[in-house]
Amino acid sequence: MLNDSHRNQFYWDAMEPFVKGKRVIDIGAGSGLLSLMAAKLGAESVLAIEASKDMVALAQLNITRNDQSDVIRIIHDMSSNVKLKEEEKADVIISETLGALMLGEGTLDYMADARKRLAKPGARVIPAGGAQFAMLIASPSLAQVSSVQSDCCKGFDLSAIGSLQDTGNIFFTKQWGFRLNLLPDLVEMSERIQFLEVDFQKSDRQHIPSTKTFRLTALKEGVIHAVVASWEVWSDEERTHKITTHPEDTRGAPWGFSRDMQWGQGLQLVEDFDLACKSERNTPPAPFEVKKGEELLLTVRFSVPCKQTFQFTLRRSLSVADAKDVRSTNKGQ
């Protein structure tokens, strides 16, 4: 993460117009890098909050070595446990508690709590907002690490092992040890859609619905192997600066490997549920075969109650009951 120079520049650029002469809180301070940036950019004071005792010790060493002990004070605690006097409350909240899924590390809850209790009314939050995206993909190479291939086992039928394939949970590419943008046969099977947008200066978990359904169109004929989840966050209301985890944005970049190993993308394998309902027990998931131009429905279900993670379901047909919930991607969010 620290070697992702583009990420570091994003936070520097995002803070530069806003922190001079201000009281700053850094939530999830880690190494103290963002606190050091704020101090160097002229912040009046910085309160760094970090839950890991070991990281607090390292951050304090970094603060001392960079001669910022007069500006930065570090606390070992969860930000939700910290209490401040009115005169100590922040003008600016900064945080990098983003996960492979944008909200996966609880950043929305921490931001909302800090806005209410640790900051002045109207305090600026950095990053200001973000969005989560999804896209359907095909890749025979991906199938090789997620299902038993017919030509692998000296003619023996081991297809029953495929029944263990998990099509109900999101995995992270970094957990599987590969970079999605290096798969030699990856094909984009749909447009990328935005299915969630949050304003870190206003939103909380109550603003996220439990379920949303979107209409997609298959761009090519073939088998859809997975749904890819990636995100982007921006610096201010004008979205002057951005960072993303979209696979094409890290391909070839000098900092790309660092970002893919720190965040990467979320990945959920898919199956044809309409065929699965007719299958016998202990049979592999039915492949989701599509024709070019075929209309599909992607449903996103957010975890309850935290709304930090989500699950996808891809279907072909639209029932009358579901029709009311479908949102065309052409209508925006």
Side-chain angles (χ1 to χ4, degrees), residues 318-333:
L318 177 62
S319 69
V320 175
D322 291 336
K324 299 177 183 178
D325 299 326
V326 175
R327 301 186 179 195
S328 171
T329 57
N330 294 327
K331 295 181 180 178
Q333 304 301 305

Side-chain angles (χ1 to χ4, degrees), residues 99-132:
L101 307 181
M102 184 176 66
L103 304 183
E105 295 185 4
T107 189
L108 185 60
D109 286 346
Y110 295 136
M111 295 284 208
D113 175 70
R115 291 196 319 261
K116 294 173 185 175
R117 300 189 310 103
L118 305 179
K120 298 174 183 177
R124 179 164 293 275
V125 179
I126 299 173
Q132 186 80 61

